PDB file of all heavy atoms in Angstrom:
ATOM      1  N   ALA B 205     -10.846   3.926  10.235  1.00 96.00           N
ATOM      2  CA  ALA B 205     -11.351   2.568  10.237  1.00 96.00           C
ATOM      3  C   ALA B 205     -11.509   2.068  11.675  1.00 96.00           C
ATOM      4  O   ALA B 205     -12.516   1.416  12.008  1.00 96.00           O
ATOM      5  CB  ALA B 205     -10.421   1.633   9.470  1.00 96.00           C
ATOM      6  N   LEU B 206     -10.529   2.399  12.545  1.00 96.00           N
ATOM      7  CA  LEU B 206     -10.635   1.970  13.954  1.00 96.00           C
ATOM      8  C   LEU B 206     -11.847   2.653  14.640  1.00 96.00           C
ATOM      9  O   LEU B 206     -12.588   2.006  15.374  1.00 96.00           O
ATOM     10  CB  LEU B 206      -9.362   2.340  14.726  1.00 96.00           C
ATOM     11  CG  LEU B 206      -8.195   1.377  14.575  1.00 96.00           C
ATOM     12  CD1 LEU B 206      -6.994   1.904  15.348  1.00 96.00           C
ATOM     13  CD2 LEU B 206      -8.561  -0.028  15.050  1.00 96.00           C
ATOM     14  N   LEU B 207     -11.978   3.942  14.341  1.00 96.00           N
ATOM     15  CA  LEU B 207     -13.087   4.675  14.930  1.00 96.00           C
ATOM     16  C   LEU B 207     -14.442   4.053  14.539  1.00 96.00           C
ATOM     17  O   LEU B 207     -15.292   3.799  15.384  1.00 96.00           O
ATOM     18  CB  LEU B 207     -13.029   6.145  14.464  1.00 96.00           C
ATOM     19  CG  LEU B 207     -14.050   7.076  15.121  1.00 96.00           C
ATOM     20  CD1 LEU B 207     -13.695   7.313  16.579  1.00 96.00           C
ATOM     21  CD2 LEU B 207     -14.134   8.413  14.367  1.00 96.00           C
ATOM     22  N   LEU B 208     -14.562   3.748  13.272  1.00 96.00           N
ATOM     23  CA  LEU B 208     -15.824   3.170  12.811  1.00 96.00           C
ATOM     24  C   LEU B 208     -16.007   1.759  13.374  1.00 96.00           C
ATOM     25  O   LEU B 208     -17.118   1.359  13.744  1.00 96.00           O
ATOM     26  CB  LEU B 208     -15.902   3.157  11.281  1.00 96.00           C
ATOM     27  CG  LEU B 208     -17.272   2.754  10.737  1.00 96.00           C
ATOM     28  CD1 LEU B 208     -18.329   3.780  11.155  1.00 96.00           C
ATOM     29  CD2 LEU B 208     -17.273   2.646   9.223  1.00 96.00           C
ATOM     30  N   TYR B 209     -14.899   1.001  13.450  1.00 96.00           N
ATOM     31  CA  TYR B 209     -14.987  -0.358  13.989  1.00 96.00           C
ATOM     32  C   TYR B 209     -15.576  -0.342  15.408  1.00 96.00           C
ATOM     33  O   TYR B 209     -16.550  -1.013  15.700  1.00 96.00           O
ATOM     34  CB  TYR B 209     -13.592  -0.986  14.010  1.00 96.00           C
ATOM     35  CG  TYR B 209     -13.554  -2.374  14.639  1.00 96.00           C
ATOM     36  CD1 TYR B 209     -13.903  -3.512  13.917  1.00 96.00           C
ATOM     37  CD2 TYR B 209     -13.177  -2.526  15.983  1.00 96.00           C
ATOM     38  CE1 TYR B 209     -13.894  -4.759  14.518  1.00 96.00           C
ATOM     39  CE2 TYR B 209     -13.143  -3.750  16.583  1.00 96.00           C
ATOM     40  CZ  TYR B 209     -13.524  -4.899  15.845  1.00 96.00           C
ATOM     41  OH  TYR B 209     -13.498  -6.129  16.424  1.00 96.00           O
ATOM     42  N   PHE B 210     -14.966   0.485  16.266  1.00 95.00           N
ATOM     43  CA  PHE B 210     -15.435   0.498  17.658  1.00 95.00           C
ATOM     44  C   PHE B 210     -16.808   1.189  17.784  1.00 95.00           C
ATOM     45  O   PHE B 210     -17.680   0.724  18.509  1.00 95.00           O
ATOM     46  CB  PHE B 210     -14.416   1.170  18.568  1.00 95.00           C
ATOM     47  CG  PHE B 210     -13.215   0.296  18.804  1.00 95.00           C
ATOM     48  CD1 PHE B 210     -11.987   0.583  18.245  1.00 95.00           C
ATOM     49  CD2 PHE B 210     -13.342  -0.876  19.550  1.00 95.00           C
ATOM     50  CE1 PHE B 210     -10.885  -0.249  18.449  1.00 95.00           C
ATOM     51  CE2 PHE B 210     -12.256  -1.733  19.750  1.00 95.00           C
ATOM     52  CZ  PHE B 210     -11.026  -1.399  19.174  1.00 95.00           C
ATOM     53  N   THR B 211     -16.979   2.282  17.052  1.00 95.00           N
ATOM     54  CA  THR B 211     -18.275   2.993  17.152  1.00 95.00           C
ATOM     55  C   THR B 211     -19.416   2.097  16.647  1.00 95.00           C
ATOM     56  O   THR B 211     -20.472   2.050  17.259  1.00 95.00           O
ATOM     57  CB  THR B 211     -18.239   4.270  16.278  1.00 95.00           C
ATOM     58  OG1 THR B 211     -17.041   4.930  16.537  1.00 95.00           O
ATOM     59  CG2 THR B 211     -19.402   5.165  16.599  1.00 95.00           C
ATOM     60  N   TYR B 212     -19.170   1.417  15.535  1.00 94.00           N
ATOM     61  CA  TYR B 212     -20.253   0.592  14.987  1.00 94.00           C
ATOM     62  C   TYR B 212     -20.642  -0.516  15.967  1.00 94.00           C
ATOM     63  O   TYR B 212     -21.814  -0.703  16.287  1.00 94.00           O
ATOM     64  CB  TYR B 212     -19.858  -0.034  13.647  1.00 94.00           C
ATOM     65  CG  TYR B 212     -20.963  -0.902  13.100  1.00 94.00           C
ATOM     66  CD1 TYR B 212     -22.066  -0.332  12.461  1.00 94.00           C
ATOM     67  CD2 TYR B 212     -20.972  -2.287  13.294  1.00 94.00           C
ATOM     68  CE1 TYR B 212     -23.103  -1.102  12.025  1.00 94.00           C
ATOM     69  CE2 TYR B 212     -22.034  -3.080  12.865  1.00 94.00           C
ATOM     70  CZ  TYR B 212     -23.094  -2.479  12.222  1.00 94.00           C
ATOM     71  OH  TYR B 212     -24.154  -3.240  11.799  1.00 94.00           O
ATOM     72  N   ILE B 213     -19.621  -1.200  16.498  1.00 93.00           N
ATOM     73  CA  ILE B 213     -19.935  -2.333  17.367  1.00 93.00           C
ATOM     74  C   ILE B 213     -20.548  -1.899  18.702  1.00 93.00           C
ATOM     75  O   ILE B 213     -21.494  -2.476  19.193  1.00 93.00           O
ATOM     76  CB  ILE B 213     -18.677  -3.227  17.590  1.00 93.00           C
ATOM     77  CG1 ILE B 213     -18.241  -3.798  16.251  1.00 93.00           C
ATOM     78  CG2 ILE B 213     -18.961  -4.333  18.577  1.00 93.00           C
ATOM     79  CD1 ILE B 213     -17.000  -4.640  16.287  1.00 93.00           C
ATOM     80  N   ILE B 214     -19.939  -0.829  19.265  1.00 92.00           N
ATOM     81  CA  ILE B 214     -20.407  -0.433  20.603  1.00 92.00           C
ATOM     82  C   ILE B 214     -21.731   0.319  20.563  1.00 92.00           C
ATOM     83  O   ILE B 214     -22.629   0.063  21.369  1.00 92.00           O
ATOM     84  CB  ILE B 214     -19.314   0.401  21.324  1.00 92.00           C
ATOM     85  CG1 ILE B 214     -18.059  -0.442  21.490  1.00 92.00           C
ATOM     86  CG2 ILE B 214     -19.803   0.852  22.698  1.00 92.00           C
ATOM     87  CD1 ILE B 214     -16.853   0.300  21.988  1.00 92.00           C
ATOM     88  N   PHE B 215     -21.864   1.301  19.608  1.00 90.00           N
ATOM     89  CA  PHE B 215     -23.088   2.107  19.605  1.00 90.00           C
ATOM     90  C   PHE B 215     -23.961   1.910  18.356  1.00 90.00           C
ATOM     91  O   PHE B 215     -25.171   1.685  18.496  1.00 90.00           O
ATOM     92  CB  PHE B 215     -22.743   3.603  19.654  1.00 90.00           C
ATOM     93  CG  PHE B 215     -21.811   3.987  20.741  1.00 90.00           C
ATOM     94  CD1 PHE B 215     -20.508   4.374  20.451  1.00 90.00           C
ATOM     95  CD2 PHE B 215     -22.231   3.942  22.064  1.00 90.00           C
ATOM     96  CE1 PHE B 215     -19.640   4.724  21.484  1.00 90.00           C
ATOM     97  CE2 PHE B 215     -21.358   4.309  23.086  1.00 90.00           C
ATOM     98  CZ  PHE B 215     -20.066   4.696  22.792  1.00 90.00           C
ATOM     99  N   LEU B 216     -23.324   2.064  17.206  1.00 91.00           N
ATOM    100  CA  LEU B 216     -24.074   2.267  16.001  1.00 91.00           C
ATOM    101  C   LEU B 216     -25.070   1.135  15.706  1.00 91.00           C
ATOM    102  O   LEU B 216     -26.240   1.366  15.393  1.00 91.00           O
ATOM    103  CB  LEU B 216     -23.105   2.439  14.819  1.00 91.00           C
ATOM    104  CG  LEU B 216     -23.477   3.533  13.812  1.00 91.00           C
ATOM    105  CD1 LEU B 216     -23.746   4.850  14.488  1.00 91.00           C
ATOM    106  CD2 LEU B 216     -22.358   3.648  12.777  1.00 91.00           C
ATOM    107  N   GLU B 217     -24.576  -0.100  15.788  1.00 90.00           N
ATOM    108  CA  GLU B 217     -25.473  -1.215  15.470  1.00 90.00           C
ATOM    109  C   GLU B 217     -26.638  -1.264  16.448  1.00 90.00           C
ATOM    110  O   GLU B 217     -27.785  -1.551  16.078  1.00 90.00           O
ATOM    111  CB  GLU B 217     -24.708  -2.551  15.454  1.00 90.00           C
ATOM    112  CG  GLU B 217     -25.629  -3.693  15.012  1.00 90.00           C
ATOM    113  CD  GLU B 217     -24.927  -5.004  14.821  1.00 90.00           C
ATOM    114  OE1 GLU B 217     -24.152  -5.133  13.858  1.00 90.00           O
ATOM    115  OE2 GLU B 217     -25.136  -5.912  15.636  1.00 90.00           O
ATOM    116  N   LYS B 218     -26.352  -0.938  17.705  1.00 87.00           N
ATOM    117  CA  LYS B 218     -27.436  -0.969  18.717  1.00 87.00           C
ATOM    118  C   LYS B 218     -28.446   0.113  18.460  1.00 87.00           C
ATOM    119  O   LYS B 218     -29.643  -0.063  18.655  1.00 87.00           O
ATOM    120  CB  LYS B 218     -26.810  -0.858  20.110  1.00 87.00           C
ATOM    121  CG  LYS B 218     -26.007  -2.094  20.473  1.00 87.00           C
ATOM    122  CD  LYS B 218     -25.328  -2.026  21.793  1.00 87.00           C
ATOM    123  CE  LYS B 218     -24.584  -3.295  22.120  1.00 87.00           C
ATOM    124  NZ  LYS B 218     -23.429  -3.547  21.222  1.00 87.00           N
ATOM    125  N   ILE B 219     -27.957   1.292  18.043  1.00 88.00           N
ATOM    126  CA  ILE B 219     -28.886   2.368  17.712  1.00 88.00           C
ATOM    127  C   ILE B 219     -29.763   1.956  16.536  1.00 88.00           C
ATOM    128  O   ILE B 219     -30.991   2.149  16.561  1.00 88.00           O
ATOM    129  CB  ILE B 219     -28.103   3.674  17.375  1.00 88.00           C
ATOM    130  CG1 ILE B 219     -27.413   4.196  18.640  1.00 88.00           C
ATOM    131  CG2 ILE B 219     -29.028   4.732  16.794  1.00 88.00           C
ATOM    132  CD1 ILE B 219     -26.439   5.325  18.396  1.00 88.00           C
ATOM    133  N   ILE B 220     -29.148   1.352  15.521  1.00 87.00           N
ATOM    134  CA  ILE B 220     -29.915   0.926  14.344  1.00 87.00           C
ATOM    135  C   ILE B 220     -30.931  -0.156  14.744  1.00 87.00           C
ATOM    136  O   ILE B 220     -32.090  -0.122  14.373  1.00 87.00           O
ATOM    137  CB  ILE B 220     -28.989   0.420  13.225  1.00 87.00           C
ATOM    138  CG1 ILE B 220     -28.058   1.542  12.761  1.00 87.00           C
ATOM    139  CG2 ILE B 220     -29.799  -0.125  12.053  1.00 87.00           C
ATOM    140  CD1 ILE B 220     -26.896   1.080  11.856  1.00 87.00           C
TER     141      ILE B 220
END
Side-chain angles (χ1 to χ4, degrees):
Chain B
L206 278 178
L207 186 71
L208 189 63
Y209 175 83
F210 287 109
T211 314
Y212 179 80
I213 297 179
I214 298 172
F215 309 110
L216 221 53
E217 185 174 288
K218 292 177 178 66
I219 292 170
I220 298 169

